[in-house]
Amino acid sequence: VQLQASGGGLVQAGGSLRLSCAASGRTFSAYDMGWFRQAPGKEREFVAAISWSAGSTYYADSVKGRFTISRDNSKNTVYLQMNSLKPEDTAVYYCAAGPQLGVTLLPYKYWGQGTQVTVSS
């Protein structure tokens, strides 16, 4: 499966962005999906994940209550709605797909190219 992330940009603190990740190739609805981010000089970290049926979602504590992950299997797309953005949310955001839902990088076999999110103070 190929993943294409988009929707990043520059936003002021307190603002919102919605990231999208479009999938092509194998059956999108068969995969659990995750969003991760990587800030300069830091390791890639988990942000949010959603099961193939959208019945289960998980969030990192740092984004809980501000970010919402969702998916539309008819459009082969997963979304990350980001509200109340903070400067510490600045990072490259990656979407990922895998056969098992998880909050670490390990279960995810396919990765998108990343989209830059910059939050100014």
Side-chain angles (χ1 to χ4, degrees):
V1 62
Q2 293 78 44
L3 303 174
Q4 180 75 36
S6 61
L10 174 64
V11 64
Q12 289 188 335
S16 298
L17 282 174
R18 188 176 81 155
L19 305 184
S20 299
C21 176
S24 60
R26 294 194 172 190
T27 306
F28 171 75
S29 60
Y31 289 96
D32 298 319
M33 300 294 297
W35 284 98
F36 293 77
R37 66 187 182 187
Q38 187 166 19
K42 295 188 177 181
E43 293 186 351
R44 193 169 298 189
E45 65 175 7
F46 169 76
V47 176
I50 188 167
S51 63
W52 65 271
S53 66
S56 297
T57 56
Y58 297 95
Y59 296 93
D61 288 343
S62 59
V63 306
K64 203 171 293 183
R66 299 188 298 122
F67 291 10
T68 302
I69 189 171
S70 61
R71 66 190 296 163
D72 186 339
N73 287 343
S74 68
K75 296 182 179 179
N76 286 2
T77 303
V78 63
Y79 305 97
L80 186 67
Q81 178 67 44
M82 306 186 295
N83 299 328
S84 302
L85 282 161
K86 305 175 181 180
E88 51 263 44
D89 294 318
T90 295
V92 177
Y93 283 70
Y94 298 90
C95 58
Q100 185 175 355
L101 192 64
V103 299
T104 67
L105 280 69
L106 191 60
Y108 298 95
K109 295 183 178 296
Y110 307 100
W111 292 82
Q113 86 291 357
T115 185
Q116 176 70 48
V117 172
T118 303
V119 184
S120 62
S121 57

